[in-house]
Every structure is written in structure tokens, then in C-alpha cells.
Amino acid sequence: MMSDPSSFIPFTAPYAPDDRVMAGRLLDSAGLSPAQEARIDRTATRLIGAIRAKDDQFGGVEDMLREFALSTKEGLALMVLAEALLRVPDARTADQFIEDKLGHGDFVHHETKSSAFLVNASAWALGMSARVIQPGETPQGTIGRLTKRLGVPAVRAATRQAMRLMGSHFVLGETIEAALARAAARFERAPRYSFDMLGEGARTAADAERYFNSYAYAIEAIGRAADHRALPDRPGISVKLSALHPRFEALSHGRVMTELVPRLIDLARRAKAFDLNFTVDAEEADRLELSLDVIAAAFGDASLKGWDGFGLAIQAYQKRAEAVIGYTDDLARALNRRMMVRLVKGAYWDSEIKRAQERGLDDYPVFTRKAMTDLNYVACAQKLLALRPRLFPQFATHNALTVATLLELAGGENGFEFQRLHGMGDALYAQLSEDRPALAYRTYAPVGSHRDLLAYLVRRLLENGANSSFVAVAADDTVPVATLLRRPADIIGTAGNARHPNIRLPRDLYQPQRANSQGIEFGERAALSELVSAIAAEVTPAAGSIIDATPADANAAIAAAREGFKHWSRTPANRRAEILQRAADLLEQRRAYFIALLQREGGKTLDDALSEVREAIDFCRYYAAEGRELFGEDKPLPGPTGESNSLRLRGRGVFVAISPWNFPLAIFLGQVTAALMAGNAVVAKPAEQTPLIAAEAVRLLHEAGVPASALHLLPGDGSIGAALVAHADVAGVVFTGSTEVARSINRTLAAKDGPIVPLIAETGGINAMIVDATALPEQVADDVVTSAFRSAGQRCSALRLLLVQDDVADRMIEMISGAARELRIGDPRDLATQIGPVIDAEAKQRLEAHIARMKRESRVHFSGTAPAGNYVAPHIFELSSADHLTEEVFGPVLHVVRYPADQLDGVLPSIERSGYGLTLGIHSRIDDTIEAVIDRLSVGNIYVNRNMIGAVVGVQPFGGHGLSGTGPKAGGPHYLARFATEQTVTVNTAAAGGNAALMSGVE
């Protein structure tokens, strides 16, 4: 029987509080007595001495980090090589990869500083390989006499062996049986182990099932091998929630609670049967509240009563760490149970910073300075120690100062344990065990194949190899011990120093030019609930309340706009920019209203709607900032003495803006605000499917200060757009839509007598992604599913054609298909929906006709099921050739083509032959491959090792070539100038009697 999760009050705490406020509190409580500080110094100094005196003939992670520091080219190359090499199945790609990475560092002349076997063997293998494959040479060519003697296969084998050699030291065993056997030989030295079954998070239901079975099997094996000692002196296992569910995310909360909680309880019961330590690992910050909901529901199950082995990991770099400890204690107290708590510093810092910046959050959920994390770690440790015995603290650290501090605070050697990673901290903990035999420590031991090790290994290298890490510098004799003993509180000094000076707050990311648009974190329950409630409360205009314009209306609007242009074009650029800034601020204030409109009229999911509102805000602010520079002061030009020369930009006249339904707010406002900032009057014709959104956007611009005479809305079907384009007084057209309509507009403009006016067109594309064997399958699956199926595939940038190396194609396609199967299709107002409707019945009919043809003519890998209404489920088809896809398919349909490793050069022409050039994705770890593809293909936006949608204004200016548009790129530095004319003014300043300025000059 499972306790009702609702009986536990959900965890809540500020998601990203101010570092300075937290620092003030932490600094106030950090002081210890001089006697305590002296004891800490003595203990830490002894431990550092042991690290520096270490004589491990084999070597470990610390030795590798010292030998190949991540601040060196060799270190970075080694990291990338380790991350990908062992998963590459074919010889050709492996050879290219090895050549590429070894060419990035000087492994040939690298002089090893360590006597450790691991380091020397790895350095020798890498150096030998680098001698064989010199930079600029290829495995296919003649690569020197040594190659002829050894052969490229020997090079490949040596490099792979170097990677395996490292792997064997970082992983306790490739199977749980091997790990247990290896651990048994070490039990006398380190009797406690926590086994971690390696692997990425689940992307498919099959992944989740496989990980569940792996955990269950391991629990059984660990339990049977364990002796009869009592907790906490027993082995354990670490479980990752994201490995047990393919959609472990806040917006899928209901599904996660229904499907994942029973699985976690099942595993916990198995662990209880053997009285093991069962730790739920920490996830990223946006998953913290969801994780705690799952943990509370599972921990509260009545069948687990009487067992003290259930635990969780808490990350001290998260600002909510102390609040999580308090919540954990409340949970244990409410159930009259004990819990084990592993305190770690945190392993996803870089991705946490990036996510907060991308989301436009008010602050970061993690500290930006390492010393703040160390300071918070000690504060959290004090709290845990005070909550004994209900909570059993497990302190995971390799930092000698942290260890010494915790020993002082603990006041004894019982009631807690230390933890270390297998392969790290050997010397420190050996000394600790010698000095304090009664002190317990547990080894956190990864178990899995070397291929699964890779992502784990790189994360450990990044986490511990940074210059700010204790592990990276502890054994360096050139670093004074006193430096390593500096207290975090002394490093921070005052609360004003709590933030990293070079890491801007997310909202300041683009300063001094402009503010970043504000977003929210869906993983913060309070923020999400507030937004959802605000959206539900909004009253939007009724569908059909916008009346279509007539041809007569079109003529009248252009005539009025011509008059409006006279005043608006003379409005100072700074004033026009202020109006756009005001519009951005109003849009941000009313985001709930516009999200409601986007969901109700445009069929947008919450994620898509919020992103679109933010993009519209970014357009307003970006064009305002750019316009101040371009249209403000005249630009002086060089010339001879006695005259002045300057260049200025001026508006053209009346611009017609024709926008699409797939981004009815962002693209609409992007077009309109650009034209307005350039000093033009605008007649805007929105898509006939989304007139309400356009009408409200125009109303907001008028409220912000754009004169009604300068901006006119003409809703209607294509005939209204055609009438506007054909009008003699139109000075320019900006259009986003199909290539077919763009051609029609172009022909109409060319056929008119009178001035030659510009067409700024952005159309679609048969957008491709190239994936080779070095790519990480889980990352590819994430990016392909996002790129192909988000927004129901109704993005100009969406992925249409996946080109995947045949050596890895089966696994990649299987994972992508499985991930697509997990997407929920339905009402976009439902938070758990990932795919909403296509725009109308006509679009659905067109897509269904294509799907029916593909089912007859191609291999079907996945065919989803859609509910009634204008819904189209994801489909994945395999084609025999890329040339078989001849047109853009604007919906959730992915086409896959395999290519042999030696025929990538033959695949690229098929992309070129399509005539499109909008977006391109590349997934590869081989820099030479990436650079060759970029050099070969003239594509507007190329995305490497990430998804290929969601271009950010001013960061990834968007637009393509050929059949994909005219340029210049929207949201880029060259866009506004296309809406303007140029005027050069030359003044003879010596006309009135001579050049007085020259003649009065002093030598």
C-alpha cells in the first residue's frame, strides 16, 4: 500500500535567490574558534602531504588530470577522444576521429611528469599514435614510414587501448559480478560501496525498462554478496530517476507520478529485502521539485517501514540545498523513519548556468563561485550533523580542507560517513583510515561497459579538472599548502563578492545593448502555477470577431500610410526606439494574455507560446538598439580637407508586411518593428488563420506610441496580400511563408512600372541533419525529436531529412523512434502535451496524403496515432536516397537516409541539389568533418551538436539562401538597412572664402 503523496506538503523554496543575501547569512555563521581552525589546518596539511607523497605505481584520475590539464590543448583533446572513441564501430571513422583529436595537441613532444603506469601508458599510446597520424595527414594517404611499419590498425588499437586503460581505472567493473569480485578484494580497506549502474537517462520506454531490470538485477547480486553487518555498514546502490522514465520533466508531472513511483517503490522493496543503502541520485535543478515529489511518494509507502536504508543525494551548489535538507528531515519525522543523505557539491554546473541564461531567469539556481559552493557545503553539513540520528550524513568530497572541517564539526567519528569516487581520493582516504581507523568511508563505484563510461568519465574530468578544483591542484608542489587552506569565507570576503564577476545575470546577458526577455522555469512549481493561473484568467476576443479587409480597404490603407510616412519618417530615431522599447515592456507585462491568444488561436503548447512571446520581445528590443545606431547620428566618412562627407539611412516609404500563421506574434512583430524602426509606414497583412493575435499586437504598438497613421492592419486571405503587393505606391515588401508565394510576389513586383522595390523574403527548406558514428545517440535522439516534432513540425527551421551513418543507423533510428513514441499529442493547453494540432484541416489533409504515399513507397520506422481533430502524429520514414524528398513537408514527418562512412562527400551534393539553404544540423565529434561540411554547404543557419530550431534574436540571426529566401537575416545586424535608403551628403566647407580650419592650424 502506497501512502497518498498529497499527504506530504510539496517542497517549495525560492528557485534562484540572490547570492549576496545568501552569502551574508553564510558568512555570518562560518566562524570557528582559533583552536578549531588550528586543528583543521593540521589535519588538512597532513592529508595534503599524503596526496603529494603518493606513490601509486598505477595512477588514478588525479594523475591524469595533472598530466593532461583541461587548460591545455592535449587535455581538451583527450577529453573529447575519451568521450566518443569507444562507441565508434567502424575503422574509418575511428581513424578520422583519432587523427582529428591528436592533431589538436602536442602529444608527440609531451613529456610525462608522472611515474604512474596509467599516465605513462596512455601518454605513450597517444604519443605513438600522434607520430603516426601527423596533423594534416589522412589515414587514407601515405602517412610516413612508421605507418608503413605499424599500420593504421595498430594506431587505432593503441589509442583505443589507452582509452580502455583509463576506463578500467575509473570503472569498478563492466558487470555487477565483476565489480563485486573486485570490491571483495578491497573490503578490508574500504568495506562500504555504493554501486552506480552507468548510463544516460532513458529516452524510450525500452530504455527505462532496461535500466529498471539492470537496477533490479544489481540489487539482487549486491544483496546476495553482502555479509551480515547492519546498516549503515552495508553496501548500496545509486538509482537515477531520469533513467527510469523517458519523460522525467516537470510538465509531465502527472504521468511521472503515475508511472515512475511504482517502479521506484519496487526497487526500494528489493533493496529493503537485503537491508541495503538505496540512494536516489540528484538531477538538474529544474527536476528537483519533481524528484522530491517522487521520493516522498515512494518513501511514504507503508511496505518500506522499518528500513533505514532509503536515501537521496543533495547538491550543495544548488541554492536550495539547505531547504532540501529541511524538507527531508520533515519527511522522515512525519513518517517516524530514518533517511541517509549523501551531500555532494554538484556535477552539472555548466549546464545549469546555460539553461538559466536560455530561460531568461531572474537569477541562477546554483552559485556562480566555487568558494560559495564550498561555503554552502559546510553549512549544509552542519545542518545534517545537527539532525542526526534521524538523518545519516554521507559526505562526498575529495577536498582535504573540507574533510578536515567536517571532522572538526562532527565532534567524533560515528554517526556519519565520508564518500569518494572510485579511482579518486585514494591517498587522502588511505591517510585518513590510517589516522582514524574507526572512521567510515564509502566508495561510489561506477559499473558498466566502457562505452557507457564515456559520458560519466568526461563529467568527472570536467567537474574535477577545472583550475578552481582542489583535485586539480592538490598534488601540485608549486601550489603552496597555505593556498589550499584558504577558507571559502576568506576567499569570498564580503557578501558583495558572492557572484562571479564575469558571469552576468541571465537578464543582463545582452547588456549593454539590451535586456534579455524574461522567462520562467517550468520546474519551479510556484512560477508555473502563477503563470498557468494568469493564462486561464485571461479573456481573449472571440474567434471570427476580426472582419476581413476588402481591396478598397487595401487602397485606403496604403494612401493613409503614405501620409503617415511623412510624419513618422521625421520622428527622431531615438524616439522610434523608445516606442519599441515601450512595446517590449508592455508585451512582457501582458505575456499571459498573449500566451492565451497563441494557445487558443494558434494551437501553441505552453512552452512554444512562452518562447514566441519572448522572441517578439527580443525583436522589439534588438531592433530598437540597432536602430539607434544606424538611424541616429549621420556616419562621418573620410575625405579631403575643406569638405565634410556623411552617410545617413532613411525610410523608404510604405512597407507591406505579410506574415505567417506558424509564428503569428514573433514574426509578425519582427517584420513590423523592423520596418517601423527604419522610418517606414507599415501596412501589415497577417495570416488569415491568426488575425486576432495580429490585431492585439497592433493595438499594443499603437498604445506604445506608434501613430495609427504609420501602422495599419489589413486582415484577410491571399487576395488582400496580392492587392497590397501590386499597389503602385508600395516601397517594399517583407514576407515570410512558402517559396511558391514568394515567387509570386517577386513576379508581381518585377512586373510593375515605377521604382524597383526590395523584397525581403524568408521561406522554408528541406532542412537536413548529418549524424556520424562519433555522435552521442542520446543527444542525437533529443535533438532530432525536438527539431523534427516540436511545434508539430510547423517551423521553417524544422528537421525534414536525417542523414545518418549506416554503421550506427539502426541504434539511432530505434532510439529516435522510441523517443517519438513517448510524445503526447493533444490539447495544447494541457501542460503535459508536447504536440498540438496542425493549423487547419487543409494542412492536415496535405500531410496525410504525403504520409499515405510514404507508407507505400518507403520503409516505416514509426507511425504514431493522433486523436480526433486537426492532429497529425509523428511519422518516421526511411528513403533510399535523399533525392526522393523533393519538397518541404510542413509537419511532424521525418525522413531518414543512411550513408556509408566513406561516402559523406557524396551525400552533400544531394543537400545542395534541393536548392534550399535554410538550416542544417551536424552531429559529430570530428572537427575536420564539421568544418568540411560547413565549408561545402551554403546554408543560412548551421547548428553543431545541438538541435536546429529556436534561433535567438541577435544570437542566431535567422534566414537562408536560394529557395529559402533572399536575406538579410532577421534578428541580425544587416536586417534594418534593407528597409532603408542610403543618402550621402557632401558639403564644401571651404566655399565661403577658403578653408579657415586648415589655415589656422598650428604646426
Side-chain angles (χ1 to χ4, degrees), residues 86 198 553 590 648 797 813 875 956:
L86 296 185
L198 286 175
D553 294 331
R590 300 172 191 171
R648 69 179 58 166
S797 56
I813 295 170
H875 283 74
Q956 295 122 9

PDB file of all heavy atoms in Angstrom, residues 86 198 553 590 648 797 813 875 956:
ATOM      1  N   LEU A  86      35.280   5.011 -28.039  1.00  0.00           N
ATOM      2  CA  LEU A  86      34.924   3.604 -27.865  1.00  0.00           C
ATOM      3  C   LEU A  86      33.528   3.271 -28.389  1.00  0.00           C
ATOM      4  O   LEU A  86      33.185   2.106 -28.521  1.00  0.00           O
ATOM      5  CB  LEU A  86      35.046   3.209 -26.391  1.00  0.00           C
ATOM      6  CG  LEU A  86      36.461   3.288 -25.807  1.00  0.00           C
ATOM      7  CD1 LEU A  86      36.479   2.766 -24.391  1.00  0.00           C
ATOM      8  CD2 LEU A  86      37.464   2.534 -26.671  1.00  0.00           C
ATOM      9  N   LEU A 198      26.050   2.565 -14.715  1.00  0.00           N
ATOM     10  CA  LEU A 198      26.269   3.659 -15.651  1.00  0.00           C
ATOM     11  C   LEU A 198      25.254   3.669 -16.788  1.00  0.00           C
ATOM     12  O   LEU A 198      24.727   2.633 -17.193  1.00  0.00           O
ATOM     13  CB  LEU A 198      27.668   3.558 -16.252  1.00  0.00           C
ATOM     14  CG  LEU A 198      28.823   3.945 -15.331  1.00  0.00           C
ATOM     15  CD1 LEU A 198      30.138   3.681 -16.020  1.00  0.00           C
ATOM     16  CD2 LEU A 198      28.722   5.394 -14.918  1.00  0.00           C
ATOM     17  N   ASP A 553     -10.315  48.622 -49.010  1.00  0.00           N
ATOM     18  CA  ASP A 553      -9.622  48.884 -47.748  1.00  0.00           C
ATOM     19  C   ASP A 553      -8.107  48.916 -47.964  1.00  0.00           C
ATOM     20  O   ASP A 553      -7.401  49.712 -47.338  1.00  0.00           O
ATOM     21  CB  ASP A 553      -9.962  47.815 -46.712  1.00  0.00           C
ATOM     22  CG  ASP A 553     -11.422  47.849 -46.281  1.00  0.00           C
ATOM     23  OD1 ASP A 553     -12.025  48.931 -46.320  1.00  0.00           O
ATOM     24  OD2 ASP A 553     -11.945  46.776 -45.905  1.00  0.00           O
ATOM     25  N   ARG A 590       2.187  41.768 -20.298  1.00  0.00           N
ATOM     26  CA  ARG A 590       0.954  41.102 -20.706  1.00  0.00           C
ATOM     27  C   ARG A 590       1.206  39.739 -21.344  1.00  0.00           C
ATOM     28  O   ARG A 590       0.431  39.288 -22.177  1.00  0.00           O
ATOM     29  CB  ARG A 590       0.191  42.005 -21.691  1.00  0.00           C
ATOM     30  CG  ARG A 590      -0.178  43.340 -21.088  1.00  0.00           C
ATOM     31  CD  ARG A 590      -0.760  44.288 -22.115  1.00  0.00           C
ATOM     32  NE  ARG A 590      -0.869  45.631 -21.558  1.00  0.00           N
ATOM     33  CZ  ARG A 590      -1.190  46.710 -22.278  1.00  0.00           C
ATOM     34  NH1 ARG A 590      -1.432  46.585 -23.578  1.00  0.00           N
ATOM     35  NH2 ARG A 590      -1.270  47.898 -21.699  1.00  0.00           N
ATOM     36  N   ARG A 648      23.776  58.715 -44.254  1.00  0.00           N
ATOM     37  CA  ARG A 648      22.623  58.517 -43.384  1.00  0.00           C
ATOM     38  C   ARG A 648      21.668  57.529 -44.043  1.00  0.00           C
ATOM     39  O   ARG A 648      21.684  57.340 -45.262  1.00  0.00           O
ATOM     40  CB  ARG A 648      21.916  59.834 -43.096  1.00  0.00           C
ATOM     41  CG  ARG A 648      21.206  60.437 -44.306  1.00  0.00           C
ATOM     42  CD  ARG A 648      20.497  61.739 -43.960  1.00  0.00           C
ATOM     43  NE  ARG A 648      21.406  62.741 -43.423  1.00  0.00           N
ATOM     44  CZ  ARG A 648      21.096  64.036 -43.302  1.00  0.00           C
ATOM     45  NH1 ARG A 648      19.903  64.474 -43.673  1.00  0.00           N
ATOM     46  NH2 ARG A 648      21.968  64.895 -42.807  1.00  0.00           N
ATOM     47  N   SER A 797      12.370  26.154 -39.768  1.00  0.00           N
ATOM     48  CA  SER A 797      13.686  25.581 -39.464  1.00  0.00           C
ATOM     49  C   SER A 797      13.642  24.094 -39.155  1.00  0.00           C
ATOM     50  O   SER A 797      14.688  23.476 -38.956  1.00  0.00           O
ATOM     51  CB  SER A 797      14.283  26.314 -38.263  1.00  0.00           C
ATOM     52  OG  SER A 797      13.391  26.250 -37.152  1.00  0.00           O
ATOM     53  N   ILE A 813      18.107   5.201 -35.098  1.00  0.00           N
ATOM     54  CA  ILE A 813      16.707   5.248 -35.543  1.00  0.00           C
ATOM     55  C   ILE A 813      15.798   4.607 -34.501  1.00  0.00           C
ATOM     56  O   ILE A 813      14.699   5.102 -34.225  1.00  0.00           O
ATOM     57  CB  ILE A 813      16.554   4.552 -36.914  1.00  0.00           C
ATOM     58  CG1 ILE A 813      17.327   5.319 -37.990  1.00  0.00           C
ATOM     59  CG2 ILE A 813      15.081   4.445 -37.305  1.00  0.00           C
ATOM     60  CD1 ILE A 813      17.440   4.590 -39.320  1.00  0.00           C
ATOM     61  N   HIS A 875       5.683  10.811 -37.644  1.00  0.00           N
ATOM     62  CA  HIS A 875       5.992   9.666 -38.506  1.00  0.00           C
ATOM     63  C   HIS A 875       7.462   9.716 -38.884  1.00  0.00           C
ATOM     64  O   HIS A 875       8.028  10.804 -39.056  1.00  0.00           O
ATOM     65  CB  HIS A 875       5.137   9.687 -39.776  1.00  0.00           C
ATOM     66  CG  HIS A 875       3.726   9.241 -39.556  1.00  0.00           C
ATOM     67  ND1 HIS A 875       2.782  10.014 -38.913  1.00  0.00           N
ATOM     68  CD2 HIS A 875       3.089   8.066 -39.887  1.00  0.00           C
ATOM     69  CE1 HIS A 875       1.635   9.355 -38.860  1.00  0.00           C
ATOM     70  NE2 HIS A 875       1.799   8.186 -39.444  1.00  0.00           N
ATOM     71  N   GLN A 956      21.499  34.117 -32.972  1.00  0.00           N
ATOM     72  CA  GLN A 956      21.498  33.298 -34.185  1.00  0.00           C
ATOM     73  C   GLN A 956      20.592  33.970 -35.220  1.00  0.00           C
ATOM     74  O   GLN A 956      19.443  33.561 -35.413  1.00  0.00           O
ATOM     75  CB  GLN A 956      20.989  31.881 -33.896  1.00  0.00           C
ATOM     76  CG  GLN A 956      21.879  31.082 -32.977  1.00  0.00           C
ATOM     77  CD  GLN A 956      21.164  30.608 -31.722  1.00  0.00           C
ATOM     78  OE1 GLN A 956      19.957  30.728 -31.576  1.00  0.00           O
ATOM     79  NE2 GLN A 956      21.928  30.075 -30.790  1.00  0.00           N
TER      80      GLN A 956
END
